């Protein structure tokens, strides 16, 4: 079992994390599955990857039912928990589409039902074949194809034009942050799309907007006011860092040893279309 744990832990964690949006829940799911697997007859583990993935999938499907109720009571917008990206790719057991593991994609997965989300993650992100997915979910292949089609429609993803994350250059982000710190309103506005949206998750434990902020002027003002608030609250003792989170470069705001926020930028044609700010301290533990 120790050998199987070392071989499949990374794959199962990625699967569970994509299905729940919570690293804590994903870790619990993997631990629970391997504890149960210790009591499984050896002949049932002749195909360990399929069997373990099925166990994790079922665990997460049950978890999603209670999670939806909890999120209805959550204070403000709910965003996934950021996780550090390993320096080397541990997922040797499957082909992973990195553009399907971005933070923006993780946010979009929240639009889906548990079954739609499961099929989408298994097929689009982890590269499972339809027969494998059908076996894991106990459904017909045709039904799984329909679930994937519905998921793609809800997420606005075309079959002919799959989503690919637009690269964010560090130099570009540095100029953006400099404009914020200098209070250059016009330049900040010019870097935002017309339909830009800013979403912040404080979870009632950190200061954050209770609703998404729209329009370039409003988002620019929110960002500039946020810098002023940080400067006042921390008496200027804060700084920006770049960190490898969720297979992309995120902006992390720190003050001393305290992580204040993790920011994710989604570009469209060279301008910011979406910005996600995780402020809930419970979600910043792994950052």
């Amino acid at each position: 079992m120790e050998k199987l744990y070392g071989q499949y832990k990374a794959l199962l964690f990625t699967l569970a994390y994509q299905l729940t949006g919570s690293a804590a829940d994903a870790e619990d799911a993997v631990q629970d599955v391997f504890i149960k697997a210790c009591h499984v007859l050896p002949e049932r583990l002749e195909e360990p990857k399929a069997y373990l993935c099925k166990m994790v999938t079922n665990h997460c499907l049950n978890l999603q039912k209670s999670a939806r109720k909890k999120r209805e009571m959550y204070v403000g917008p709910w965003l996934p928990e950021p996780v550090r990206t390993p320096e080397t790719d541990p997922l040797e057991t499957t082909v992973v589409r990195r553009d399907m593991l971005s933070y923006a994609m993780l946010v979009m997965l929240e639009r889906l039902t548990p079954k739609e989300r499961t099929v989408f993650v298994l097929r689009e992100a982890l590269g499972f074949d339809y027969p494998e997915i059908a076996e894991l979910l106990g459904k017909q292949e045709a039904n799984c194809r329909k679930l994937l089609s519905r998921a793609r429609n809800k997420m606005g993803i075309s079959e002919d034009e799959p989503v690919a994350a637009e690269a964010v250059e560090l130099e570009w982000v540095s100029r953006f942050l400099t404009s914020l710190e200098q209070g250059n309103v016009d330049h900040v506005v010019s870097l935002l799309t017309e339909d830009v949206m800013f979403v912040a998750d404080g979870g009632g434990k950190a200061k954050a907007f209770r609703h998404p902020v729209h329009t370039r002027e409003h988002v620019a003002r929110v960002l500039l006011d946020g810098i002023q608030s940080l400067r006042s609250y921390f008496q200027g003792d804060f700084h920006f860092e770049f960190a490898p989170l969720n297979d992309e470069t995120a902006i992390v705001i720190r003050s001393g040893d305290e992580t204040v926020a993790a920011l994710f930028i989604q570009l469209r044609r060279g301008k910011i279309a979406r910005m996600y700010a995780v402020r809930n301290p419970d979600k910043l533990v792994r950052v």
Side-chain angles (χ1 to χ4, degrees), residues 227-237 255 258 260 279:
I227 293 295
Q228 291 300 321
S229 295
L230 288 173
R231 187 172 287 123
S232 175
Y233 184 81
F234 293 108
Q235 298 181 335
D237 182 24
S255 177
E258 180 183 355
V260 179
R279 295 275 288 115

Side-chain angles (χ1 to χ4, degrees), residues 103-118:
Y103 193 81
M105 184 61 67
L106 203 59
V107 173
M108 290 172 67
L109 288 173
E110 290 298 313
R111 303 176 188 176
L112 309 181
T113 66
K115 288 290 178 66
E116 290 168 349
R117 182 169 183 160
T118 301

Side-chain angles (χ1 to χ4, degrees), residues 12 16 24-34 55-56 59-60 63:
L12 298 178
D25 287 342
E27 288 177 347
D28 288 345
V30 174
Q31 293 295 331
D32 182 71
V33 161
F34 273 103
M55 290 179 72
V56 167
H59 181 101
C60 292
L63 200 62

Side-chain angles (χ1 to χ4, degrees), residues 158-205:
S158 166
E159 292 279 357
D160 301 323
E161 298 179 13
V163 169
E166 189 170 323
V168 180
E169 298 292 337
L170 294 186
E171 183 180 349
W172 188 98
V173 179
S174 295
R175 290 199 303 270
F176 170 69
L177 294 177
T178 298
S179 296
L180 283 179
E181 292 185 287
Q182 293 177 347
N184 191 335
V185 180
D186 292 338
H187 190 239
V188 171
V189 169
S190 71
L191 298 176
L192 308 176
T193 63
E194 291 283 354
D195 62 344
V196 65
M197 182 173 69
F198 174 82
V199 183
D201 177 349
K205 298 184 178 183

Side-chain angles (χ1 to χ4, degrees), residues 36-137:
K36 290 180 179 178
C38 289
H39 304 288
V40 173
L41 295 175
E43 56 266 28
R44 298 184 68 182
L45 284 173
E46 290 181 359
E47 296 290 342
K49 175 184 169 184
Y51 192 86
L52 293 171
C53 283
K54 185 172 185 176
M55 290 179 72
V56 167
T57 297
N58 289 334
H59 181 101
C60 292
L61 283 171
N62 291 330
L63 200 62
Q64 285 173 330
K65 296 175 183 177
S66 58
R68 284 177 176 268
K69 294 181 180 178
K70 291 180 181 178
R71 289 174 194 177
E72 289 174 0
M73 303 173 63
Y74 195 79
V75 179
W78 185 94
L79 289 174
E81 177 185 356
V83 293
R84 279 265 175 183
T85 301
E87 293 182 5
T88 57
D89 184 3
L91 301 179
E92 300 174 354
T93 54
T94 188
V95 177
V96 179
R97 285 194 57 187
R98 289 299 173 189
D99 58 325
M100 288 296 174
L101 299 183
S102 69
Y103 193 81
M105 184 61 67
L106 203 59
V107 173
M108 290 172 67
L109 288 173
E110 290 298 313
R111 303 176 188 176
L112 309 181
T113 66
K115 288 290 178 66
E116 290 168 349
R117 182 169 183 160
T118 301
V119 172
F120 184 90
V121 170
L122 289 171
R123 176 64 180 171
E124 298 291 339
L126 300 182
F128 280 62
D129 294 328
Y130 281 111
E132 292 179 287
I133 298 172
E135 176 67 23
L136 286 175
L137 297 180

